Amino acid sequence: MNCNLCPRKCNAKRTADCNIGGFCKSPENVVISRADLHFWEEPSISGKNGSGTVFFSGCSLGCVYCQNFEISHKISGKTVSITQLAEIFKNLEEKGAHNINFVTPEHYIPKIKEALEIYRPDIPIVLNSSGYINENQMEILKDYIDIYLLDFKYMSGNRAKKYSFAEDYPEIAKGALDFAYRSQSECVFDSNGLMKKGVIVRHMLMPLATNEAISVFDYVTENYPNAYFSMMSQYLPHGKAEKYPEINRRVTKREYEKVVNHILESGFENCYIQERTSADDKYIPDFR
Ligand code: SF4
């Protein structure tokens, strides 16, 4: 098939095992890097038992500093059939996962829908996306998604272009948020504090980008007051970050505190704020 699924619209030729000319490099067959219980999402997602994460290989955004560079920029992992993918959902549910969490699923959305048609878990389904996802993609899975866990990485098209080759990212991510909020405009939790439905918007603070983090926070809280905001501070210079000296370092304490103080002073309460100590390689899943 010729693929124009995501905002890249590469018109790439995707065959069962090959992708010719596509940004995401992903073949038509689904390749996954990891499927297991995961404990390092937001507390309302990971809970006590863990989130049933399925990490898809490849990525249609492809940030130069990606902490999962090995799986997002290379197609490493295991090819699974649609039936096997449905079995993975079932196995994770049987292991006690609080939800099924599709991590970077954008380039496989039609296949994921096919798997959900075979087996729809009786626990919430989470769409965990880079935010670079268009309305058509979201529409395909709309009837299945309970929780949108969306990144909002950049307010600046220049930074999006420089670090993710996607100048249109801010506009696309705003559209994705609009869609998510229309679909799940209230956050619903159970008696244990686990999210059953809703929207969480994530922003990862990067070096030299405090103003961007603040403008993302202001935008999200003004436009989506019932959503949760998750301020992530786990940035570490991975991937090709060494080629970009200005981001080839950790976020400083001063940068972190500037953004955290802004959030706290805003009085907005639907918020997760990651500790600065979260910037540690030990929190990156083992994809071997
Ligand atoms: S899903 Fe992959 S091949 Fe298809 S348009 Fe997006 S980047 Fe290109």
Side-chain angles (χ1 to χ4, degrees):
M1 68 163 182
N2 279 36
C3 182
N4 290 292
L5 182 63
C6 83
R8 299 270 181 207
K9 297 197 188 310
C10 312
N11 202 34
K13 187 165 183 200
R14 286 176 77 173
T15 62
D17 303 310
C18 186
N19 180 320
I20 302 165
F23 186 92
C24 69
K25 304 187 187 82
S26 305
E28 200 174 348
N29 283 343
V30 176
V31 185
I32 63 167
S33 305
R34 182 181 164 93
D36 205 353
L37 299 175
H38 187 59
F39 296 88
W40 302 321
E41 306 286 24
E42 284 74 2
S44 61
I45 302 295
S46 288
K48 209 171 100 195
N49 297 351
S51 174
T53 44
V54 183
F55 287 83
F56 293 89
S57 298
C59 179
S60 54
L61 187 57
C63 308
V64 296
Y65 50 81
C66 181
Q67 65 172 10
N68 298 335
F69 200 86
E70 281 304 305
I71 64 160
S72 60
H73 287 246
K74 298 172 190 166
I75 304 304
S76 59
K78 187 171 163 47
T79 300
V80 292
S81 67
I82 300 301
T83 311
Q84 287 172 320
L85 189 57
E87 282 166 8
I88 286 170
F89 303 161
K90 193 164 188 281
N91 288 341
L92 287 169
E93 185 180 26
E94 285 170 357
K95 277 170 103 172
H98 294 302
N99 43 61
I100 300 297
N101 183 347
F102 304 141
V103 186
T104 323
E106 297 84 356
H107 44 299
Y108 284 124
I109 278 181
K111 300 286 184 187
I112 294 169
K113 184 182 180 192
E114 286 179 44
L116 286 168
E117 283 168 353
I118 295 173
Y119 183 71
R120 181 179 187 157
D122 199 24
I123 49 179
I125 306 283
V126 183
L127 182 76
N128 185 340
S129 164
S130 66
Y132 199 55
I133 180 169
N134 62 40
E135 196 156 321
N136 294 342
Q137 289 170 286
M138 295 178 85
E139 190 68 45
I140 293 170
L141 282 187
K142 179 173 174 268
D143 293 341
Y144 294 95
I145 301 300
D146 302 290
I147 299 169
Y148 290 92
L149 191 49
L150 296 179
D151 288 351
F152 194 151
K153 292 176 184 289
Y154 310 104
M155 194 57 101
S156 149
N158 287 340
R159 285 174 53 83
K161 183 178 178 187
K162 186 169 187 183
Y163 302 129
S164 300
F165 316 103
E167 194 171 7
D168 58 352
Y169 179 92
E171 176 198 327
I172 298 287
K174 286 176 186 172
L177 275 179
D178 282 347
F179 187 101
Y181 200 67
R182 277 200 308 276
S183 306
Q184 302 290 356
S185 54
E186 298 289 337
C187 291
V188 179
F189 298 86
D190 71 8
S191 55
N192 295 316
L194 291 165
M195 187 176 270
K196 294 291 167 193
K197 287 182 182 298
V199 178
I200 300 177
V201 186
R202 286 175 162 173
H203 179 76
M204 184 170 70
L205 174 61
M206 290 180 62
L208 285 183
T210 54
N211 289 343
E212 180 152 78
I214 288 170
S215 65
V216 167
F217 172 79
D218 290 347
Y219 178 84
V220 170
T221 53
E222 276 165 27
N223 290 285
Y224 313 106
N226 296 333
Y228 269 67
F229 186 83
S230 179
M231 213 288 278
M232 304 177 75
S233 62
Q234 64 188 46
Y235 179 82
L236 288 171
H238 277 282
K240 295 183 178 165
E242 62 186 7
K243 294 189 176 158
Y244 301 80
E246 73 282 8
I247 60 165
N248 194 25
R249 65 164 171 84
R250 290 166 181 248
V251 168
T252 64
K253 185 166 180 276
R254 189 189 175 98
E255 288 171 326
Y256 175 77
E257 287 178 351
K258 178 180 169 186
V259 177
V260 170
N261 287 341
H262 177 84
I263 292 172
L264 296 178
E265 283 163 14
S266 76
F268 187 76
E269 291 185 348
N270 297 351
C271 214
Y272 298 105
I273 300 176
Q274 230 178 4
E275 299 282 348
R276 202 166 150 260
T277 49
S278 304
D280 193 311
D281 281 334
K282 72 182 179 195
Y283 295 115
I284 297 175
D286 184 354
F287 293 110
R288 284 170 296 169

